Amino acid sequence: METSITLLDAAARRAQEYLRRSTTRTVAPHTADIDALRELEEPFPELPSLPSEVLAFVDRVGSPATVATTGGRYYGFVNGGVLPAALATSWLVSAWDQNISLRVMSPAGAAFEDVALDWVIDVLGLPRAAGGALVTGATMANFCGLAAARHALLRRAGWQVEDEGLFGAPPLRVVVGDEVHISLLKALALLGLGRRRVERVPVDRQGRMRGDALPDLDDRTIVCVQAGNVNSGAFDPAREICQRAHERGAWVHVDGAFGLWAAASPRLRHHVDGFGDADSWATDGHKWPNVGYDCGIAVVRDPEALRGAMSMASAYFAPGGLREPSQYSPEMSRRARGVELWAALRSLGRQGLAALIERTAEHAGRFATGLRDRGWEILNDVVINQVLVSFGTPEVTRSTVAKIQEDGVLWCGATEWQGRTAMRISVSSWATTEEDVRVSLDAIDRAARQCQRPQAIG
Ligand SMILES: Cc1ncc(COP(=O)(O)O)c(C=O)c1O
């Protein structure tokens, strides 16, 4: 008889083999492997299958068609790798199969989450009395922060938005920088605050909101600032904005999906100066700190504002006296992702986290210097882990990115930056080494040179 116990050995062997291969295979999967996913397109089977056969199928058909983000040469989007402690812990946590909705359902899950949140608040330099929630990612963390803002500003205006909805409510204003991340706009849309109703503030050449261009603020306004632009890595001038906003009773929300983690490094901490003055913050464990997917973190200065936005109760679902996870997050049932966050932070310690942040930022600096030395144009000030590079015309840059992805030595994506087409390099994985950077630089340079002379290709 196959049981979970016998099957986990097979899963471990397959996962170990996967990780071993992921350092030598191409970063992007081969087209043939993606095409082979068509094997999935079968009707729902009538008969059961052996669990070991199911696992073998997932490995055979699925593993080759993954993107090798766990190796050291994936620089796409802002995707972190997964630290060994976080990965191994997630296996154990999967075996626990805890629902962390209420403390009574998972005392362990709730306790790990409490401590993990405390540590995040500490290392990010946020107010000690703040509270928070663990969610799927920064999109939902933005949602939580903005929901708390909506709750607090409308309650102050005498309106209980969770009961009455937004119809007939006193209007709220939302101010964002022109470089606002799409996920924040999505969160505003979900909250009924509208993507297009926002007041956009012009930005400078690095994508930073211009403090001198802020509109007049008032106590029904949410100002959204950014710690770490998804392209350039730049930081908005938070201290100045928070001061102006708070003089007028406005709420400041920070989208710090990855950039907030600069606070963990004594060398990079100056970038987050003033961000701790805000009222709510959104960040990710699965980006720069390399907790596995998925792990977003919302923090709110006044935990009661978050609880007011998220709480629910019924006779069968009665919150106890201590902090109940589901009273602070959008979901009721939820996995115990706080254990993995805790494990990642515990394994790194304060110094290890600082080293991870600094090492990846140094690698980004190496990319910028190496590419510049080879004659390519760097479009941003490389302040943390993000590099934007142009290889010439938009067409040449785009074909270079395509060639790099196809060659498979590394993976980077393309973007548009202030009217220019660029390749984005985001160094977000603990696994990236100096050797990875060296090998990647050569591969990028080779591809870019081939794309300058299209006739030389194939
Ligand atoms: C600045 C910023 N905000 C929000 C997000 C969304 O994060 P998630 O994909 O974890 O929801 C990202 C993702 O890259 C980001 O860079």
Side-chain angles (χ1 to χ4, degrees):
M1 236 282 272
E2 287 187 343
T3 65
S4 297
I5 294 172
T6 55
L7 208 60
L8 283 175
D9 278 335
R13 276 196 306 279
R14 289 181 185 280
Q16 285 159 355
E17 186 52 29
Y18 174 82
L19 289 177
R20 246 176 245 121
R21 277 209 201 121
S22 70
T23 55
T24 51
R25 56 165 270 194
T26 57
V27 178
H30 296 293
T31 311
D33 293 324
I34 298 172
D35 291 346
L37 289 170
R38 280 203 217 104
E39 242 190 277
L40 280 166
E41 295 165 17
E42 58 173 358
F44 182 40
E46 289 300 327
L47 297 176
S49 299
L50 276 177
S52 59
E53 285 171 5
V54 174
L55 183 70
F57 182 96
V58 171
D59 194 21
R60 181 175 60 76
V61 175
S63 294
T66 57
V67 177
T69 53
T70 52
R73 294 195 304 278
Y74 183 80
Y75 313 109
F77 305 95
V78 192
N79 289 357
V82 56
L83 287 163
L87 171 59
T89 300
S90 84
W91 285 12
L92 186 57
V93 170
S94 292
W96 291 357
D97 191 29
Q98 298 287 279
N99 179 353
I100 194 197
S101 188
L102 290 178
R103 201 164 275 271
V104 71
M105 295 183 202
S106 181
F112 278 99
E113 175 166 312
D114 287 349
V115 176
L117 271 169
D118 266 3
W119 287 357
V120 169
I121 287 168
D122 173 16
V123 78
L124 296 185
L126 306 182
R128 294 311 312 217
L134 295 187
V135 288
T136 46
T139 306
M140 284 314 289
N142 279 326
F143 175 86
C144 289
L146 294 166
R150 187 182 70 162
H151 172 87
L153 296 191
L154 285 179
R155 198 183 46 178
R156 200 159 61 195
W159 189 267
Q160 184 59 40
V161 64
E162 289 75 25
D163 293 337
E164 309 300 336
L166 279 176
F167 300 104
L172 293 180
R173 294 167 57 205
V174 181
V175 173
V176 301
D178 226 358
E179 273 287 332
V180 61
H181 192 269
I182 48 172
S183 70
L184 191 130
L185 296 175
K186 178 170 176 174
L188 289 172
L190 291 172
L191 286 161
L193 295 173
R195 294 176 210 260
R196 243 194 285 157
R197 272 182 80 252
V198 294
E199 297 170 41
R200 285 180 172 264
V201 180
V203 294
D204 67 13
R205 289 182 58 77
Q206 296 304 318
R208 292 176 292 231
M209 198 193 280
R210 276 180 34 210
D212 64 337
L214 267 186
D216 273 346
L217 303 174
D218 57 40
D219 62 359
R220 302 245 184 92
T221 304
I222 306 169
V223 185
C224 303
V225 295
Q226 200 163 241
N229 178 288
V230 72
N231 285 314
S232 68
F235 294 76
D236 287 341
R239 187 170 296 288
E240 175 191 351
I241 294 171
C242 287
Q243 192 186 337
R244 296 261 306 275
H246 289 153
E247 278 166 9
R248 299 302 175 96
W251 179 290
V252 183
H253 171 75
V254 178
D255 177 359
F258 59 102
L260 264 186
W261 293 93
S265 149
R267 286 224 306 272
L268 298 173
R269 194 169 288 150
H270 61 280
H271 292 302
V272 297
D273 178 53
F275 280 92
D277 295 344
D279 301 286
S280 55
W281 302 264
T283 192
D284 267 324
H286 57 222
K287 288 192 167 71
W288 223 354
N290 283 242
V291 181
Y293 282 89
D294 46 28
C295 180
I297 306 156
V299 178
V300 178
R301 177 181 290 276
D302 173 11
E304 285 309 301
L306 183 58
R307 201 165 69 95
M310 299 293 167
S311 63
M312 60 190 150
S314 87
Y316 93 98
F317 189 82
L322 296 171
R323 176 187 178 278
E324 296 287 7
S326 56
Q327 303 303 305
Y328 293 86
S329 69
E331 308 93 341
M332 187 178 236
S333 294
R334 179 157 63 78
R335 68 191 297 275
R337 62 172 68 85
V339 193
E340 287 143 68
L341 174 59
W342 178 91
L345 295 175
R346 182 73 157 80
S347 76
L348 289 169
R350 206 178 284 277
Q351 291 182 11
L353 180 61
L356 164 61
I357 298 300
E358 286 171 7
R359 190 172 68 244
T360 41
E362 279 161 17
H363 288 328
R366 279 188 191 102
F367 269 116
T369 310
L371 289 168
R372 219 181 261 123
D373 289 349
R374 287 165 170 82
W376 309 117
E377 187 187 2
I378 301 300
L379 302 182
N380 64 318
D381 291 347
V382 178
V383 289
I384 46 171
N385 60 337
Q386 304 291 119
V387 184
L388 298 172
V389 55
S390 161
F391 301 105
T393 64
E395 295 70 31
V396 168
T397 298
R398 253 184 241 111
S399 57
T400 302
V401 172
K403 175 101 184 76
I404 287 167
Q405 292 177 358
E406 189 188 309
D407 289 347
V409 175
L410 66 144
W411 202 97
C412 286
T415 192
E416 295 294 316
W417 177 247
Q418 303 200 336
R420 302 285 305 276
T421 299
M423 183 173 88
R424 298 175 67 252
I425 304 174
S426 174
V427 190
S428 303
S429 174
W430 70 279
T432 300
T433 62
E434 274 188 55
E435 175 65 5
D436 285 319
V437 176
R438 199 186 57 70
V439 169
S440 301
L441 273 170
D442 287 347
I444 294 170
D445 189 51
R446 209 166 39 241
R449 284 186 196 288
Q450 286 177 13
C451 291
Q452 305 293 311
R453 294 175 280 114
Q455 70 278 11
I457 305 171

